[in-house]
Amino acid sequence: GKSEEQSMVIPQVPSNIKMRRCGYCMVKQPMRAKHCQLCRHCVRRYDHHCPWIENCVGEKNHRLFIVYLSVQLVVLLWGGHAAWSGLYFEQSWDWLRHNIFLLMSFLLIVVFTIVVLLLLVSHLYLISCNTTTWEFMSHHRISYLQHSESENPFDQGVILNLWRFFC
């Protein structure tokens, strides 16, 4: 039997949708769970396998992943500021020869900052919709989303989605 808390947190599966059984672990998977080939285990509320942290992002560590991205963004902005403030500009080849390393570092930091910023913004958008990266990318292949009457059965409005995720 399910406890009251479980029935409030985990939406009920409609009767016409069969519960999936993991082909690797041979356990019944709850909705929003997926088996990760790299980690070799099932992850509740699977979002994605992150190569940066060499781990899956799921129910237990999604908030920490957002904190990680935020800290990365702050460090990159700080590094970009430090690299930019170290540059002094003159119009000569001698200047370029002496500052090429600092200039290349700044440009690399700008590229990484854009990547991390886009990743953070996209995750915040998905959180506000109460969906995961896996559900967003594979909506057409997931049985409980294919047969759903609404586009996202987990969406409870932006404010409530953000509140439940962060609080």
Side-chain angles (χ1 to χ4, degrees):
K2 291 183 181 180
S3 68
E4 267 185 55
E5 185 179 297
Q6 283 178 325
S7 62
M8 287 174 57
V9 175
I10 302 169
Q12 297 298 316
V13 180
S15 59
N16 62 343
I17 296 177
K18 294 180 180 178
M19 285 292 287
R20 296 179 309 146
R21 185 170 293 278
C22 178
Y24 301 96
C25 300
M26 300 310 285
V27 297
K28 275 190 172 180
Q29 286 182 333
M31 281 197 295
R32 307 185 94 175
K34 183 180 183 298
H35 185 88
C36 178
Q37 299 288 351
L38 297 170
C39 293
R40 296 187 184 140
H41 65 277
C42 289
V43 179
R44 287 180 61 97
R45 201 174 182 279
Y46 178 85
D47 191 82
H48 69 284
H49 183 89
C50 180
W52 290 2
I53 60 174
E54 282 192 49
N55 200 5
C56 286
V57 175
E59 183 178 72
K60 301 280 187 194
N61 64 351
H62 201 169
R63 278 184 225 110
L64 292 174
F65 181 71
I66 297 300
V67 170
Y68 169 75
L69 288 177
S70 302
V71 169
Q72 284 284 42
L73 184 62
V74 168
V75 168
L76 285 166
L77 290 172
W78 174 77
H81 173 72
W84 182 259
S85 64
L87 290 172
Y88 65 94
F89 294 99
E90 289 179 14
Q91 290 187 355
S92 70
W93 288 108
D94 192 44
W95 172 87
L96 186 61
R97 191 169 44 100
H98 286 90
N99 289 298
I100 190 72
F101 179 72
L102 200 53
L103 190 60
M104 295 304 288
S105 297
F106 176 74
L107 293 175
L108 191 62
I109 288 171
V110 167
V111 169
F112 284 137
T113 301
I114 291 169
V115 169
V116 170
L117 181 64
L118 289 174
L119 193 58
L120 181 61
V121 168
S122 68
H123 271 274
L124 290 174
Y125 169 74
L126 291 174
I127 290 166
S128 71
C129 297
N130 196 9
T131 191
T132 64
T133 304
W134 174 59
E135 290 170 343
F136 183 76
M137 300 299 284
S138 304
H139 189 275
H140 60 283
R141 295 185 304 166
I142 303 171
S143 61
Y144 58 85
L145 293 177
Q146 282 177 339
H147 305 311
S148 176
E149 293 150 12
S150 63
E151 188 172 318
N152 180 6
F154 306 108
D155 189 7
Q156 298 174 335
V158 174
I159 303 296
L160 193 55
N161 291 339
L162 291 172
W163 176 263
R164 289 208 170 150
F165 183 82
F166 289 108
C167 302

